[in-house]
Each structure stands twice: as structure tokens, then as C-alpha cells.
Amino acid sequence: MTTFLIRRLFQMILVTIVAAMLSYGLLYVQPGGPIDVLLAERQNSGANRIRESDIQRVMQRFELDLAMPVRFSRWLVGWPKGPIFGSVGADWVVGCATPGQVRLRYPDGRVEIVEEGCEKTVTLADLEGRKVSRGVVFGDFGDSQVMLRGRPVTDLIWSRLPYTLYLMGGSIVLAILLGVPLGVYSAVKQYSRFDYIATTIAFIGTSVPSFVFGIFFILLFSVLPQRAGLPYLPPGDAVGVRDYTIPLIGMVEAGSFLDRFLRVLMPCGVLTIINLAGWSRFVRGSMLEVLQQDYVRTARAKGVREQVVILKHALRNSLIPFVTLLAGVLATIFGGALITEAVFNWPGIGRLFIDALGRNDYNVAMAILFVNVILLLLGILITDILYTIVDPRIRIS
């Protein structure tokens, strides 16, 4: 087991670095970055409002004037901060502050300005005094560049994390507690009326997008009951901004336990239905395969009670494939549900990630992606260990 853990930890480090490189590169090469926004605004409002110095200042703040490998290295491990050992490589070029421009005139009279070369380079000496984090490897994700400018990214994540934890945690626990028994009972009662109903509901749950469920829930449990004067659920947000009255329930104080509980019901219900539908179908298929094995027929032929056959012999082996699905639970609990949180305006990590992408706050977006990769790899490692608990025949060499 020790050898296995050491080998897997080494593999996790390599996968984490590769995943960080790919996600970091893709995030910065996507169109619509802060410089593109400035250039578009400059084109619309004129060069007098947005000067070249403004563009250079934004490039330096986002470190867009540095080459991609240097920028990634500073984000990952906080290096280089300047010349090596104080003086080595002070004149080494690591980026370009002002790209060169060439005016091209075509035979048909068209004129096009393209970037070529570099008018003002950035060297290692220029990095001295420039603010940089200690690196995400050491737990420092830097400061927020837009959303909470100058504040640590960790403060922003910690402020949103509790909302995601109790939303995602509650929905996943409910989905497991309901999905496993439903899948097992549906397999045992194959082709029964219950099986047909459960299968139909599961197909609907897995095929309908989460935003459709969210809109349907808002109409069914909030808009229509409120118009009819019936008890209703608040349509969005995690905490109310003012007190409100619900028929048959009375006055609900904003920020109270009842207010928070009523607001979490709909997003938690949407996520529970989606997870429940997929997991129950998976458990049903795995259980049906196990029930056809020879050792199950042998146990029944020996007169073992059906309840013991199902719970002791069949259920444990049918959960082995299901354990694989649990590998991503840690990342899911942290990352939240992007679409569902957006529909219900839930201030969780998923909504934070969408806002960070929309506002080009790269440090926040990359922090969430990096932590998700770490948690996913840890979940896979825990899953491998759980295999030995679920199935004692598995031995790790």
C-alpha cells in the first residue's frame, strides 16, 4: 500500500502540473481579454480617452507583457522575481511591453496595421519590485485583479465556499441515500410497475438540462403559487435582503434560518434530481449484472434468504462500479454547479467562476480550476483505496 501511495502521489504531481499548464494557457489565449476590451473601447471612444500608457498599465497588472512560460512560472511557484542570485541574467528578455507595429498597404488601397517585433522589451531586471505571489504550489493564489481588486483570492473563495458546501453537500448526500436504494429495488423488481416508473423518471432526469429544471421549479414553486396566493418558495439568492410574508407560514425574517432553508430547497432539489436520476440508473444496471452471477444463484439454491442474498452477496459487489462515480464528488462539492447556481443566483463557487471568467479575473478562475484538479485527483486516489474495502479480493501490489 505504501508503494502504491507513493507512486500515485508522484503521478498526481505530474498530472496537476500538466493540467495547470493547459488550463492556464487556454485561459489566456481565449479572445475577449482585458486588452481586447480596452482596444474595442478605444476604437469606439477615441484615442484621447484611452491612451497607450493605460494599455501598458493594464498589461503589466495582468502580466500580459511577459512571455507565457515566465508568466506561468510566476503564478505557479512565484519565480522569477528578478535577476537570478541578484545579478545573473538582469538583461535577459522575458517579455514585450510595447509591440512593434508595421503599416501594410495593399495594391487595392487597403491599409492594415499589424504587430511585428517589439519596441520596448521586458527584462528580468524590470521584474524587481513588481508584485508577485509566493505561488499556488505554496498555497498563495495571488490577489483578485478585478472582482475584489487587491484582495487575496483566498478571501473571495472562502466567502463563497460555505454556500457551495451546504448546497452541494446536501444534494449529493440526498442523491446517494435515495439513488442507491431506488436502483437496487428497481433491479430486484425488474419489469415491475415501479421499475417502469423509476426508469422513466430517471430518463427524464438525465436528459433534461439543469437550467430547464431550474426554470420549471421557479415557475412551479415560486411564481405560480405566489400569484395564486398560496405558500411559495423564494425564487433566488441565498439570503433575503428584506423581510417577507408567505401565506400559512407568516413573516420570514431576512437572514434567519427559515429564510436560508426556504431558499436552498429549490436549487438543492434540482441538483438532487439530476444526480439521483443518473446514479439510480447506474446502480440498477450494476445490480442486474450481479444478480445474474453464479454465486447469487448458488446462494439462492442453498436456501439463503432473499434479503440476505440481496444485501450481503449482491449489493456489495454491485457497488464496486458505483464507487468509481464517487471519484469526482470532492471536486463537485467544491466546484459547485455552474448552471444551477447561475439560474438561482446562488453565491457559490460555481457562480464565482462564471463571474471571474466574464470579468477576466484570471487569478480567481485559475485558483478554482487548480483546486478542482487537486480534489479530483484526491478523489480518484480515495476511490482506489475504497475498492479494497468494497471488494476484499482486490489487492494492491
Side-chain angles (χ1 to χ4, degrees):
M1 177 67 74
T2 303
T3 304
F4 168 77
L5 291 177
I6 294 175
R7 186 170 64 249
R8 291 306 300 267
L9 287 175
F10 180 73
Q11 294 172 353
M12 288 170 58
I13 294 174
L14 293 179
V15 172
T16 301
I17 295 176
V18 173
M21 291 175 58
L22 293 175
S23 56
Y24 191 89
L26 292 174
L27 189 65
Y28 273 92
V29 300
Q30 66 172 347
I35 300 301
D36 294 337
V37 174
L38 275 181
L39 293 177
E41 186 175 348
R42 182 182 183 180
Q43 186 177 2
N44 295 331
S45 60
N48 294 329
R49 183 174 180 180
I50 299 178
R51 298 181 296 273
E52 193 66 31
S53 59
D54 298 327
I55 297 178
Q56 292 181 4
R57 186 171 60 253
V58 171
M59 288 183 63
Q60 183 173 340
R61 192 177 90 199
F62 287 88
E63 297 204 327
L64 298 175
D65 57 345
L66 301 180
M68 182 70 74
V70 178
R71 195 188 315 161
F72 175 74
S73 176
R74 285 168 61 86
W75 172 79
L76 187 66
V77 295
W79 183 88
K81 299 181 180 180
I84 304 173
F85 302 119
S87 59
V88 178
D91 57 345
W92 291 355
V93 177
V94 294
C96 179
T98 306
Q101 293 184 344
V102 177
R103 184 185 298 270
L104 300 179
R105 185 179 298 274
Y106 296 94
D108 57 359
R110 291 184 300 110
V111 177
E112 182 181 3
I113 298 177
V114 297
E115 293 184 357
E116 183 176 320
C118 182
E119 294 183 2
K120 182 181 179 182
T121 60
V122 180
T123 62
L124 282 180
D126 297 327
L127 298 183
E128 275 192 296
R130 183 182 291 196
K131 189 175 182 181
V132 63
S133 67
R134 290 182 293 111
V136 298
V137 172
F138 304 103
D140 187 357
F141 295 102
D143 296 337
S144 173
Q145 298 163 319
V146 179
M147 303 182 68
L148 287 178
R149 185 174 176 181
R151 293 283 301 277
V153 172
T154 50
D155 291 351
L156 192 57
I157 292 179
W158 280 114
S159 66
R160 302 290 189 94
L161 187 58
Y163 295 103
T164 291
L165 288 181
Y166 74 77
L167 172 63
M168 300 301 301
S171 63
I172 289 176
V173 170
L174 285 175
I176 292 176
L177 293 179
L178 297 176
V180 173
L182 284 177
V184 172
Y185 189 78
S186 182
V188 174
K189 301 295 183 180
Q190 186 182 18
Y191 302 133
S192 64
R193 181 177 300 177
F194 175 86
D195 184 32
Y196 284 124
I197 295 175
T199 301
T200 303
I201 295 176
F203 277 134
I204 295 175
T206 53
S207 59
V208 177
S210 58
F211 73 89
V212 175
F213 271 122
I215 296 174
F216 177 76
F217 269 48
I218 292 175
L219 289 174
L220 186 62
F221 297 109
S222 180
V223 176
L224 296 180
Q226 188 175 9
R227 290 180 178 177
L230 300 175
Y232 65 93
L233 295 175
D237 296 323
V239 181
V241 296
R242 62 177 63 90
D243 299 344
Y244 53 95
T245 303
I246 297 180
L248 301 181
I249 296 180
M251 178 68 69
V252 179
E253 182 180 353
S256 63
F257 174 79
L258 179 60
D259 176 43
R260 296 173 181 270
F261 176 74
L262 292 176
R263 292 178 182 275
V264 79
L265 287 179
M266 282 199 291
C268 185
V270 170
L271 295 173
T272 300
I273 289 176
I274 294 174
N275 291 326
L276 173 65
W279 290 357
S280 63
R281 291 293 301 163
F282 194 89
V283 172
R284 178 185 180 274
S286 178
M287 191 70 178
L288 286 175
E289 182 178 354
V290 171
L291 289 176
Q292 298 174 3
Q293 299 297 319
D294 292 337
Y295 64 87
V296 174
R297 289 195 293 266
T298 302
R300 286 171 171 167
K302 291 172 62 176
V304 180
R305 287 188 305 147
E306 184 67 16
Q307 185 177 3
V308 176
V309 172
I310 299 300
L311 297 180
K312 184 177 180 180
H313 297 283
L315 178 60
R316 186 171 183 179
N317 289 291
S318 67
L319 291 180
I320 296 176
F322 179 71
V323 170
T324 307
L325 292 180
L326 301 181
V329 166
L330 284 177
T332 302
I333 291 178
F334 173 82
L338 303 179
I339 304 301
T340 303
E341 289 186 3
V343 170
F344 291 99
N345 197 30
W346 189 264
I349 299 295
R351 179 66 185 273
L352 175 63
F353 182 70
I354 293 179
D355 293 341
L357 289 178
R359 301 176 66 179
N360 297 315
D361 201 332
Y362 296 138
N363 283 348
V364 176
M366 277 305 305
I368 296 174
L369 287 175
F370 188 79
V371 175
N372 269 327
V373 170
I374 297 293
L375 292 178
L376 180 59
L377 294 175
L378 286 177
I380 295 175
L381 179 62
I382 295 173
T383 299
D384 291 337
I385 298 175
L386 288 178
Y387 281 144
T388 62
I389 299 175
V390 177
D391 189 354
R393 297 172 299 174
I394 299 177
R395 293 293 180 264
I396 301 177
S397 57

